[in-house]
Amino acid sequence: ETGVTQTPRHLVMGMTNKKSLKCEQHLGHNAMYWYKQSAKKPLELMFVYNFKEQTENNSVPSRFSPECPNSSHLFLHLHTLQPEDSALYLCASSQGRGQANQPQHFGDGTRLSIL
Amino acid sequence: GENVEQHPSTLSVQEGDSAVIKCTYSDSASNYFPWYKQELGKRPQLIIDIRSNVGEKKDQRIAVTLNKTAKHFSLHITETQPEDSAVYFCAPSNTGKLIFGQGTTLQVKP
């Protein structure tokens, strides 16, 4: 299944670098999500976008900056990250406005390592 | 906020046996109850979901049962196969915001 595509698959960066993660969905969905998956912890919702508007920011530090230029694309801009930010970052999409409890479809994730 | 717990955290069964994973939640307003499967190094994939107006749903070897009064729902896998080995997550929701459990690692031994 290639409905939700994330790039890059792996990223190693220093704490002072700036990088961006990209997510693209080809499912015609209107809601997109960023999740963080750390070892031994549940998936944590970071941001939700509905029709390009951010509707949820789950107390995420400002060093993570999301951008949603259209319903098919979602970015996560990274700046001055900390070692504890090393994790798998997953993008997901769903139909509806995100409040309608529609199934979410995930990408393969970006494995991020902070040196 | 919603508290979600899965039990057990790990489960090992022989091929052909059944496996049951239970998910308890705290928010009585939750009305959507999905289960996701994540194989090692792969994306989480929805395997079955149920809504609050239904008590049970079955899809071949997989079933989900819901007890809204007791606030728990369970994943049932029958005739387990080695390819069922993965981490399983429940993620109850009432607003479209999924709250994931900590996951259950299922190992099916050939």
Side-chain angles (χ1 to χ4, degrees):
Chain A
E1 180 185 334
T2 58
V4 180
T5 305
Q6 290 187 243
T7 55
R9 292 294 311 276
H10 302 273
L11 179 62
V12 180
M13 57 187 286
M15 289 191 284
T16 58
N17 292 156
K18 289 184 182 180
K19 296 286 184 183
S20 295
L21 310 185
K22 179 182 177 182
C23 177
E24 184 174 1
Q25 59 94 3
H26 306 277
L27 301 169
H29 291 164
N30 297 309
M32 296 188 77
Y33 312 78
W34 278 118
Y35 288 88
K36 176 183 180 182
Q37 187 174 29
S38 305
K40 311 284 187 189
K41 293 177 72 174
L43 276 78
E44 301 170 61
L45 179 66
M46 300 174 71
F47 301 104
V48 181
Y49 277 83
N50 290 284
F51 292 90
K52 302 188 298 178
E53 294 184 11
Q54 187 180 127
T55 56
E56 182 88 26
N57 177 338
N58 207 23
S59 302
V60 181
S62 59
R63 58 186 183 269
F64 295 91
S65 175
E67 178 190 1
C68 189
N70 54 61
S71 293
S72 299
H73 293 85
L74 184 65
F75 295 89
L76 188 62
H77 304 299
L78 315 172
H79 175 50
T80 319
L81 295 193
Q82 304 300 310
E84 60 265 28
D85 297 324
S86 297
L88 180 68
Y89 289 85
L90 290 160
C91 172
S93 69
S94 69
Q95 290 181 328
R97 296 191 60 83
Q99 285 83 25
N101 287 326
Q102 296 296 319
Q104 293 185 20
H105 299 255
F106 285 83
D108 287 325
T110 294
R111 175 70 62 185
L112 176 65
S113 298
I114 306 301
L115 301 178
Chain B
E2 171 90 279
N3 289 320
V4 179
E5 291 189 4
Q6 286 181 232
H7 293 280
S9 56
T10 60
L11 180 58
S12 182
V13 300
Q14 287 296 133
E15 182 177 0
D17 287 351
S18 295
V20 181
I21 304 170
K22 184 177 180 180
C23 180
T24 59
Y25 60 95
S26 61
D27 187 352
S28 57
S30 293
N31 55 17
Y32 176 61
F33 307 93
W35 283 97
Y36 282 82
K37 174 185 180 182
Q38 188 175 26
E39 297 177 60
L40 190 63
K42 296 192 176 181
R43 68 183 72 189
Q45 288 194 299
L46 178 71
I47 55 171
I48 196 165
D49 58 7
I50 195 169
R51 299 180 190 273
S52 59
N53 58 341
V54 178
E56 181 174 356
K57 182 177 177 181
K58 189 173 182 180
D59 182 4
Q60 299 183 345
R61 297 187 297 108
I62 294 172
V64 55
T65 57
L66 172 64
N67 185 329
K68 281 213 77 180
T69 303
K71 290 188 282 187
H72 65 75
F73 61 112
S74 297
L75 175 68
H76 305 256
I77 305 175
T78 58
E79 300 171 31
T80 54
Q81 301 168 2
E83 52 265 38
D84 294 329
S85 297
V87 180
Y88 292 83
F89 296 95
C90 64
S93 167
N94 72 340
T95 60
K97 187 170 96 171
L98 301 179
I99 306 300
F100 282 81
Q102 79 277 19
T104 296
T105 301
L106 173 64
Q107 181 186 28
V108 180
K109 299 178 182 177

